[in-house]
Amino acid sequence: MTIDAAGTVRDLRETFASGRTRRLAWRTGQLRAMHRMLTERHRELEAALAADLGKPAAESWLTEIGFLTAELEHTLKNLEHWLAPRRAEVPMSLQPATGKVVIEPLGVVLVIAPWNYPVQLLLAPMIGALAAGNTVLAKPSELAPASSAVLATMVPQYLDSSAVRIVAGGKEETTEILRQRFDHIFYTGNGTVGKVVMRAAAEHLTPVTLELGGKSPTYVDDQVNLRAVAQRLVWGKFMNAGQTCVAPDYLLASRKTQTRLIPHLRRAITDAFGTDPRNSDSYGRIISERHFDRLTGLLDGQTAAIGGQSDAASRYLAPTVLAEVAEDTAVMKEEIFGPILPLVTVDSPAEAVDFITARDKPLALYLFTDSAETKELFIAQTSAGGMGIGVPTAHLTAPGLPFGGVGQSGIGNYHGRYSIDTFSHHKAVLDKPLRPDTLKAIYPPFTTIKEQLIRRVLMPIRRKPHRD
Ligand code: NAD
């Protein structure tokens, strides 16, 4: 063990106690410094992402670096407004008085990031935590070693090192870090480790945000333009070689639509990655041997309608589509998290809704339909962290939308204003002058007159609680 988790947290707590991180100028200074870091050093980050995941530079910009600069710009533009105290209604019984909600920082925040978007998923929560005035200990994933190493060197060169620490490490180091008391823990990764994090947090009654995954379904109806659907699906599913928490995991459609969709998918794959995606500069690789073996294992006994080829030495797995997959096969039992798209037969939108609601609430749900009725059916009858109608994965780049799961796919959310709420305490402040003392009426002893006053005037029961 080479890390001093207790000492690091103690230092961060001291910095927080100094009050420096509460100042708006400090917060915006950190956000600007991170923006400068991404602008000046993006090539190093892109090289690291290429080394870890074979990520094309354009994709790294789209989904990591450019995503983060947009989040920083949106936060810098709105922060002062988001942090302003919010006025609150005060009832007649307390008048004269004013009520307000003060947005205050929590203290020391722990961010634990996964390997699939190793830059975005470490820095995006940090943007929220710093903007909200906290100090941060951030732990990148050991499974993306090049990205982790670059971040560990680069971040201290730009951000305030007494308030922000990047601590690299795997399970052992994270276990030691989790023994410490934090004021908030923000974890992104799988649900099994999510439980470990929540258990550790419970020891100190620390609140958690858990950004988890799961099987995100996509429903395609019989009337929609399948060529356009195929292009969007191929983009959202095979980006980062399918290793995206919000990637469409499986597709629900009628048998007829599946038969018509497959040639469009084949064509869209060829358009994007050529006839042999192995040679494409636009297609990534599987993160590790373990994940490669897990994914090729899911293909055992399956006949691929498209793709299926793999190469263990380069951890290459072709964009793969499986048709008419049965519900009880391995590929439908766990989150795929790779470039395999099973198509499952349902005969109607209502059947698709039943299929989805019979399972864990997904992180994302996608819908391809032109029917307003079908859209309303899915919005009203299903639950998911977020929904994309007509486009997969893109909802998480809209800065005004919260990003997070529900049920098994996660607890809490972030991005933009939602990050400020996640990393702040909403403190209730009631300010009532001592004079005039309108509270006299409620002080004991309770005479009959006082009781009538309380019942009828100060806190009357209204016949109609609210107008319809
Ligand atoms: P991972 O293996 O990198 O683990 C995530 C983090 O947990 C790492 O920092 C790792 O060091 C730490 N960790 C691992 N084992 C631990 C243990 N026993 N104790 C303490 N810490 C431990 O990443 P992963 O979990 O394979 O990530 C993939 C999963 O994450 C998928 O389920 C995916 O859907 C989900 N995910 C969710 C989001 C989201 O935003 N909701 C984003 C990306 C990934």
Side-chain angles (χ1 to χ4, degrees):
M1 177 87 48
T2 52
I3 63 162
D4 174 16
T8 306
V9 174
R10 199 170 49 238
D11 292 351
L12 292 171
R13 204 165 280 294
E14 255 172 41
T15 304
F16 182 72
S18 76
R20 194 165 77 243
T21 66
R22 290 174 180 262
R23 293 204 317 261
L24 181 64
W26 182 88
R27 304 184 195 196
T28 54
Q30 295 305 298
L31 301 183
R32 286 204 185 87
M34 193 190 286
H35 194 277
R36 213 167 46 247
M37 176 183 96
L38 293 166
T39 315
E40 291 172 359
R41 309 282 289 273
H42 65 94
R43 298 250 177 253
E44 285 163 69
L45 291 165
E46 284 160 21
L49 289 164
D52 286 329
L53 288 143
K55 249 186 222 211
E59 198 176 289
S60 292
W61 189 270
L62 187 69
T63 62
E64 308 233 29
I65 296 150
F67 171 88
L68 288 163
T69 52
E71 176 79 356
L72 282 162
E73 286 157 24
H74 177 67
T75 305
L76 279 162
K77 186 171 120 205
N78 294 292
L79 186 57
E80 199 166 353
H81 167 62
W82 291 339
L83 294 173
R86 301 169 196 176
R87 278 184 69 87
E89 194 179 303
V90 174
M92 220 261 280
S93 53
L94 287 173
Q95 298 290 356
T98 55
K100 62 182 172 185
V101 181
V102 172
I103 314 297
E104 67 175 24
L106 296 169
V108 185
V109 167
L110 170 63
V111 174
I112 302 177
W115 51 264
N116 62 331
Y117 289 85
V119 178
Q120 187 213 127
L121 295 173
L122 189 88
L123 297 183
M126 280 173 60
I127 293 172
L130 295 172
N134 301 284
T135 59
V136 182
L137 191 166
K139 202 214 68 77
S141 175
E142 70 282 17
L143 290 184
S147 308
S148 294
V150 172
L151 287 164
T153 330
M154 199 182 274
V155 169
Q157 293 167 3
Y158 287 83
L159 300 192
D160 179 345
S161 299
S162 64
V164 181
R165 296 284 173 83
I166 308 290
V167 179
K171 182 176 168 184
E172 196 188 342
E173 288 78 5
T174 314
T175 305
E176 180 57 22
I177 292 169
L178 283 170
R179 284 205 187 96
Q180 315 308 314
R181 182 174 75 78
F182 292 91
D183 299 289
H184 193 93
I185 300 180
F186 189 103
Y187 166 81
T188 306
N190 68 73
T192 308
V193 175
K195 288 180 194 169
V196 173
V197 169
M198 209 166 170
R199 254 182 241 123
E203 264 323 294
H204 301 285
L205 291 177
T206 299
V208 293
T209 303
L210 300 180
E211 294 281 340
L212 310 176
K215 290 184 87 60
S216 296
T218 299
Y219 175 67
V220 179
D221 83 4
D222 289 340
Q223 278 81 38
V224 78
N225 175 338
L226 292 179
R227 179 162 150 69
V229 170
Q231 285 168 338
R232 297 260 166 107
L233 270 177
V234 164
W235 170 72
K237 174 71 188 185
F238 299 115
M239 165 196 300
N240 204 25
Q243 300 163 114
T244 302
C245 56
V246 287
D249 185 276
Y250 64 94
L251 189 142
L252 298 168
S254 67
R255 193 162 282 139
K256 178 179 81 183
T257 294
Q258 287 182 42
T259 311
R260 287 173 50 226
L261 180 62
I262 287 170
H264 289 295
L265 286 171
R266 189 176 291 115
R267 175 151 172 216
I269 290 170
T270 311
D271 287 349
F273 308 116
T275 46
D276 190 356
R278 192 185 322 241
N279 303 321
S280 167
D281 291 338
S282 298
Y283 190 64
R285 293 295 183 266
I286 305 305
I287 185 76
S288 68
E289 206 178 305
R290 185 171 71 80
H291 281 285
F292 177 84
D293 292 344
R294 178 182 65 78
L295 287 164
T296 46
L298 291 178
L299 294 178
D300 284 349
Q302 298 279 354
T303 314
I306 304 172
Q309 304 82 357
S310 61
D311 172 45
S314 57
R315 299 194 309 276
Y316 165 79
L317 179 54
T320 298
V321 176
L322 308 174
E324 293 189 40
V325 173
E327 278 180 51
D328 56 357
T329 45
V331 80
M332 283 306 294
K333 289 211 173 111
E334 57 175 86
E335 179 182 1
I336 297 169
F337 219 56
I340 303 170
L341 182 67
L343 313 186
V344 177
T345 308
V346 290
D347 287 323
S348 65
E351 204 183 302
V353 166
D354 288 346
F355 190 97
I356 293 163
T357 51
R359 290 163 171 75
D360 288 344
K361 292 179 183 177
L363 182 59
L365 193 161
Y366 303 115
L367 182 59
F368 290 93
T369 182
D370 295 324
S371 152
E373 204 181 311
T374 305
K375 289 179 191 177
E376 199 38 49
L377 173 78
F378 275 78
I379 294 171
Q381 303 290 331
T382 65
S383 179
M387 265 185 83
I389 302 174
V391 60
T393 79
H395 60 292
L396 77 84
T397 63
L401 293 176
F403 178 61
V406 57
Q408 299 295 306
S409 58
I411 299 174
N413 53 45
Y414 72 133
H415 286 181
R417 180 175 205 149
Y418 295 93
S419 291
I420 301 302
D421 289 344
T422 286
F423 293 111
S424 302
H425 169 58
H426 290 195
K427 184 162 69 184
V429 178
L430 180 74
D431 186 352
K432 180 166 175 58
L434 282 168
R435 293 282 177 266
D437 194 0
T438 49
L439 291 180
K440 257 189 202 155
I442 61 168
Y443 298 154
F446 295 115
T447 61
T448 314
I449 288 185
K450 279 187 185 175
E451 186 174 338
Q452 297 297 333
L453 191 68
I454 291 168
R455 282 187 197 275
R456 304 224 169 117
V457 180
L458 294 179
M459 302 182 79
I461 294 177
R462 302 193 196 284
R463 285 221 188 91
K464 273 197 158 186
H466 65 86
R467 261 188 235 124
D468 291 328

